[in-house]
Amino acid sequence: MYKILGKRTLGPQIREYVIEAPEVARVAKPGQFVVIRLHEQGERIPLTVVDTDRESGGVTIVVQEVGKSTREMGDHFESGDTILDFAGPLGVASEIENYGTVICVGGGLGIAPLYPIARALKEAGNTVIGIVGARSEDLLFYIDRMDAVCDELIVMTDDGSAGRKGFVSEPLREILSSGRKIGRVWAIGPAIMMKVSAQVTREFNIPTVVSLNSVMIDGTGMCGGCRVEIGDEAKFACVDGPEFDGHRVNFDLLMSRQRFYHDEEACALDRYLKSEGKKE
Amino acid sequence: MSLQKQTPMRQQPPQARIHNFDEVPLGYSENEAIVEAERCLQCPTAPCVEGCPVNVDIPRFIEHVKNSRFAEAIAAIKDTNSLPAVCGRVCPQETQCQGVCTLGRRFDPVAIGKLERFCADWESEHTAPKASVPEKNGQRVAVIGAGPAGLTAAGDLRKRGYDVVVFELLHVAGGVLMYGIPEFRLPKQIVQREISALKEMGVEIHVNKVVGQIYSVDDLLGSGYDAVFIGTGAGLPRFLGVPGENLNGVYSANEFLTRTNLMRAFRFPEYDTPIRIGKRVITVGGGNVAMDSARTALRLGAEESIIVYRRSAEELPAREEEVEHAREEGIDFQLLTNPLRFLEKDGAVAGAECIRMELGEPDESGRRRPVPIEGSEFVIDVDTVVIAIGNGPHPLVPRTTKGLDLNRRGNIVADSETGSTSKEGVFAGGDIVTGAATVIEAMGAGKRAAAAIDRYLQSKEKRTE
């Protein structure tokens, strides 16, 4: 059992949890993930590590409540409660070096895993340009935290309710077009956002790292459900990734595989909402 | 009692069982067990004991069964085998103990596996006196991986007085017994019962521990563990490498079985993990895992379940009983057939283009090599494909352990008799060393390693005295 040390709402259906897991907190690095399971009937949910605190033994994760399990977590798991399973860290850590100037692009929930990477890049001596975006202002979070670790921060919303109106790929293109020397780009967010960002950086031949959130069961290399095509090769996002060269990822396959359980996920969510009396 | 024929075990009829996940063979009654035990000749050479990878004293336990001394029978088995309820169900007895049974030279061999299962099940329904376990001797051994090899090593080391801690990556102990072998062949409750028995002996089991990340093997050796046993198994699924294999609806057997067994997707939405099954399912492969997958597909609601295997029936590596059960359940065997590519419709798999094969000259495995018959390509319409062609070594611990010699396949190089590796104090056994094999072979390796660790730690203690 793993205790929830803290819970905080970051936006509509976006919550931050700090889970007590000292062994994981001691070693987890930016880019890695954990797998959690709420209870005996629960599924294994992979979530990227956002922050760790060696003193309290806390590991921070951010959860967007898009399905039954994550809704249930938001509705019923409070600070002081416990979750059944918490395993990690899993996956390969981000390659943090001094690349000169880097751009960190985060879309939606992707801002959460991007934050520790941006911070580590800053600590490694990089000039960090942050570009973060969401559909609207209420879905933006961690702006202060990103601001603290970025030399420049550009905020985008689809509807213009905060920052500039438009997609994160627009300022990305502007910066690259300006001729500024960029050593590397990290782009983390929905598959489509990573695909578009990688298309932009490919034009300028800037190495680009993306973090793939494919469907996983165990998260430890055993099921192969998370396999993605990188160039001509099938790779497992869990043990070979989750970060890959964005210019070589088959994003269409990733998106197709992410949708495979759409009907079952909808059915589970519907059943849950009915049982909670939240839906007729 | 018939000397010629084995006492049959009652089982669920095929038409009923393909709609449920309950165990297929129902077990012997006391009388049936006694009748079967009477068939044992108690031959002085007892080749069965040698035929058993963990050398269970088979004649002794069978003699106890014959005399209705069931508690003594299970105790005799447990002297050498920590997981009898598992082995009685999943060992390939026909190539081990029963394959060399003296009676079997003329008639059916004694049903040793069924008798072993009977004894283990009898124990769970009766309170047998607990085996005494020695006090902890102050020396600690870490076991990485709570599968058949690791659990056996842990049980044996505990019996030898060591303080044993098992580290498991998943959220439950049992390894392939939990995620791989289906409920209808090995009920999970039985696995957990065997694991509880180990815990009662004082074996500590910690789940959710990612060894290789939270601590390395060196960290364990430097933090109070006197030796380490690595039994992390063959967890990395192999794929065919043919076009279309990454389409939706194409599963590795590991994913298909893990969703169903470990995550209990057959009870979705009561359990949160879903599984999607089509009307027609093909499983590629011919081993136990392929049989398990094909039979699981039926139980999940597939109308047709087809095994596609590139060699002939004779080469099927699965246990006889599994092939028999699969045939009884109506699994279609497309033998001497190999998939060339998977075809797509609307983003998911819709067909398997296959080619017929014929057997040519023997290959390095001694089996005749399957050769494609030119021009014999044909398409099977399918909605779901399960790839069950084996697994490579689980990479996490080998990749993160310095000074551990690996072979070119990534398996740990370890002595087959002792499990000792290139690294002092580190032993390994089971599928992580041999590549995918059987539960009982992994248990045998765990057992031999436990004995070797005992010798190593005793001699180390002498040296330091």
Side-chain angles (χ1 to χ4, degrees):
Chain A
M1 301 289 251
Y2 301 81
K3 193 171 169 189
I4 300 172
L5 299 175
K7 176 179 179 180
R8 186 158 84 92
T9 300
L10 303 179
Q13 251 119 57
I14 303 173
R15 274 185 253 255
E16 176 194 76
Y17 297 84
V18 181
I19 312 283
E20 185 175 40
E23 289 178 329
V24 180
R26 199 165 46 79
V27 296
K29 295 185 185 67
Q32 292 188 302
F33 66 100
V34 295
V35 166
I36 71 166
R37 201 169 70 115
L38 298 177
H39 51 67
E40 209 52 62
Q41 281 77 37
E43 60 189 328
R44 291 173 66 92
I45 311 168
L47 293 163
T48 313
V49 172
V50 172
D51 207 353
T52 55
D53 182 345
R54 289 182 183 202
E55 266 176 39
S56 69
V59 178
T60 305
I61 51 179
V62 174
V63 179
Q64 187 160 33
E65 295 161 12
V66 288
K68 184 256 174 180
S69 299
T70 46
R71 277 299 287 265
E72 188 182 2
M73 188 173 185
D75 292 345
H76 296 288
F77 289 76
E78 303 301 331
S79 197
D81 293 347
T82 56
I83 60 172
L84 188 55
D85 297 300
F86 189 96
L90 296 160
V92 182
S94 307
E95 278 177 39
I96 304 296
E97 285 171 35
N98 190 342
Y99 299 98
T101 302
V102 294
I103 305 178
C104 292
V105 189
L109 194 75
I111 301 167
L114 185 71
Y115 162 68
I117 296 168
R119 185 176 59 184
L121 287 165
K122 180 69 196 162
E123 283 165 7
N126 291 277
T127 299
V128 180
I129 304 170
I131 305 173
V132 294
R135 282 203 310 278
S136 54
E137 184 181 20
D138 54 343
L139 295 165
L140 279 171
F141 61 92
Y142 279 4
I143 300 302
D144 294 354
R145 297 182 91 176
M146 282 299 286
D147 202 37
V149 299
C150 291
D151 296 274
E152 298 165 40
L153 181 68
I154 301 161
V155 177
M156 304 292 293
T157 50
D158 296 2
D159 63 1
S161 53
R164 265 176 66 182
K165 182 173 183 325
F167 299 116
V168 289
S169 52
E170 294 162 21
L172 176 63
R173 176 179 291 281
E174 288 160 17
I175 297 166
L176 299 182
S177 303
S178 74
R180 262 178 96 169
K181 195 171 175 304
I182 302 298
R184 190 166 283 220
V185 172
W186 258 263
I188 306 181
I192 185 68
M193 171 248 145
M194 292 191 284
K195 180 184 175 178
V196 172
S197 301
Q199 274 167 353
V200 170
T201 61
R202 186 188 286 113
E203 291 172 35
F204 298 89
N205 207 17
I206 309 294
T208 299
V209 180
V210 294
S211 180
L212 305 186
N213 51 340
S214 45
V215 174
M216 289 180 190
I217 300 297
D218 60 289
T220 69
M222 283 175 39
C223 79
C226 68
R227 62 195 187 278
V228 288
E229 280 177 13
I230 309 297
D232 295 333
E233 272 184 292
K235 294 274 186 191
F236 290 1
C238 63
V239 287
D240 301 318
E243 294 190 350
F244 292 99
D245 174 355
H247 295 161
R248 301 180 68 230
V249 172
N250 181 343
F251 284 104
D252 295 337
L253 179 77
L254 173 72
M255 288 186 267
S256 164
R257 289 186 65 87
Q258 283 175 337
R259 280 192 301 268
F260 188 52
Y261 284 102
H262 179 271
D263 293 353
E264 287 79 3
E265 284 159 7
C267 150
L269 179 60
D270 194 56
R271 182 174 175 270
Y272 170 75
L273 292 177
K274 273 184 190 148
S275 76
E276 293 285 300
K278 292 184 181 174
K279 198 172 174 179
E280 279 309 300
Chain B
M1 193 254 314
S2 149
L3 210 51
Q4 283 84 3
K5 290 276 169 211
Q6 276 185 10
T7 313
M9 184 176 276
R10 287 161 294 124
Q11 55 180 43
Q12 276 201 76
Q15 279 322 306
R17 73 192 191 221
I18 60 171
H19 300 297
N20 66 54
F21 274 84
D22 300 340
E23 196 172 13
V24 170
L26 300 172
Y28 277 158
S29 66
E30 289 188 6
N31 272 337
E32 286 165 335
I34 293 166
V35 167
E36 184 58 24
E38 283 171 347
R39 296 181 66 234
C40 176
L41 303 175
Q42 293 291 325
C43 59
T45 52
C48 51
V49 179
E50 277 303 299
C52 170
V54 298
N55 307 121
V56 168
D57 190 344
I58 292 165
R60 181 156 67 98
F61 101 74
I62 290 185
E63 185 67 14
H64 284 312
V65 174
K66 190 175 113 185
N67 296 316
S68 305
R69 293 194 300 258
F70 305 124
E72 286 88 342
I74 187 64
I77 297 172
K78 283 195 154 177
D79 274 350
T80 49
N81 185 345
S82 306
L83 311 171
V86 172
C87 290
R89 289 171 165 85
V90 305
C91 270
Q93 288 96 5
E94 69 266 20
T95 60
Q96 297 174 347
C97 53
Q98 293 176 199
V100 293
C101 172
T102 304
L103 183 66
R105 287 193 217 154
R106 290 192 55 198
F107 306 125
D108 281 357
V110 177
I112 300 166
K114 294 186 170 87
L115 287 171
E116 182 181 31
R117 171 187 161 163
F118 164 79
C119 293
D121 291 354
W122 183 90
E123 188 194 29
S124 76
E125 289 152 18
H126 299 76
T127 32
K130 292 245 158 22
S132 65
V133 184
E135 289 290 304
K136 291 181 178 174
N137 64 13
Q139 285 184 294
R140 301 183 83 199
V141 182
V143 170
I144 309 172
L151 291 176
T152 302
D156 275 33
L157 285 163
R158 183 65 204 92
K159 282 184 203 161
R160 290 167 192 267
Y162 295 96
D163 190 355
V164 186
V165 179
V166 183
F167 298 95
E168 167 58 41
L169 183 59
L170 293 175
H171 57 261
V172 289
V176 73
L177 308 174
M178 289 303 290
Y179 72 77
I181 302 177
E183 185 77 24
F184 57 83
R185 197 146 80 79
L186 180 63
K188 301 307 141 218
Q189 211 186 336
I190 285 168
V191 179
Q192 290 310 312
R193 198 173 73 211
E194 305 256 43
I195 290 167
S196 300
L198 288 173
K199 287 185 182 161
E200 275 168 30
M201 282 167 54
V203 172
E204 268 181 58
I205 302 180
H206 297 308
V207 296
N208 293 324
K209 298 295 178 198
V210 189
V211 176
Q213 294 270 12
I214 50 174
Y215 8 79
S216 65
V217 168
D218 282 311
D219 292 338
L220 292 170
L221 288 171
S223 63
Y225 290 96
D226 301 287
V228 173
F229 175 78
I230 305 173
T232 49
L236 195 73
R238 290 216 178 90
F239 288 91
L240 295 160
V242 303
E245 206 169 19
N246 299 323
L247 287 169
N248 279 325
V250 182
Y251 293 93
S252 73
N254 266 6
E255 181 184 358
F256 191 70
L257 294 173
T258 299
R259 281 182 183 272
T260 313
N261 302 328
L262 181 71
M263 306 311 298
R264 306 191 88 68
F266 64 93
R267 289 172 66 182
F268 176 85
E270 183 195 340
Y271 282 73
D272 290 337
T273 305
I275 192 160
R276 191 175 264 206
I277 189 87
K279 286 196 173 112
R280 187 187 273 169
V281 179
I282 67 165
T283 300
V284 183
N288 289 324
V289 175
M291 302 303 136
D292 287 345
S293 302
R295 297 173 68 197
T296 295
L298 279 185
R299 286 159 173 80
L300 289 172
E303 287 168 16
E304 265 183 281
S305 181
I306 304 166
I307 293 263
V308 171
Y309 178 56
R310 65 199 181 113
R311 301 179 196 252
S312 74
E314 250 170 65
E315 288 85 18
L316 280 171
R319 287 173 84 215
E320 264 170 35
E321 187 183 338
E322 306 316 322
V323 177
E324 202 179 295
H325 282 161
R327 288 193 194 277
E328 286 169 6
E329 290 170 12
I331 307 285
D332 177 16
F333 283 75
Q334 292 287 325
L335 302 171
L336 290 165
T337 303
N338 205 27
L340 296 174
R341 77 186 77 242
F342 298 106
L343 311 171
E344 183 201 330
K345 196 182 163 194
D346 304 329
V349 68
E353 185 185 331
C354 298
I355 191 163
R356 297 291 185 193
M357 313 289 277
E358 59 189 349
L359 294 179
E361 295 302 308
D363 61 16
E364 62 270 22
S365 73
R367 298 177 299 178
R368 293 177 64 193
R369 183 192 300 275
V371 188
I373 303 172
E374 221 174 288
S376 66
E377 294 87 347
F378 68 105
V379 172
I380 308 176
D381 294 334
V382 294
D383 321 282
T384 304
V385 174
V386 182
I387 308 290
I389 57 164
N391 293 300
H394 197 279
L396 211 51
V397 175
R399 270 188 199 173
T400 55
T401 306
K402 290 192 190 98
L404 194 61
D405 285 354
L406 309 178
N407 68 16
R408 69 185 163 79
R409 295 183 142 206
N411 293 103
I412 298 174
V413 178
D415 185 282
S416 62
E417 277 312 302
T418 64
S420 59
T421 68
S422 57
K423 201 172 166 72
E424 200 198 324
V426 178
F427 298 74
D431 286 2
I432 190 68
V433 171
T434 57
T438 60
V439 168
I440 188 73
E441 283 170 283
M443 291 175 60
K447 196 163 198 66
R448 291 190 297 277
I453 290 169
D454 184 29
R455 287 193 299 273
Y456 165 75
L457 291 178
Q458 288 198 14
S459 72
K460 192 172 153 190
E461 189 143 280
K462 273 193 197 123
R463 270 180 282 144
T464 52
E465 264 165 20

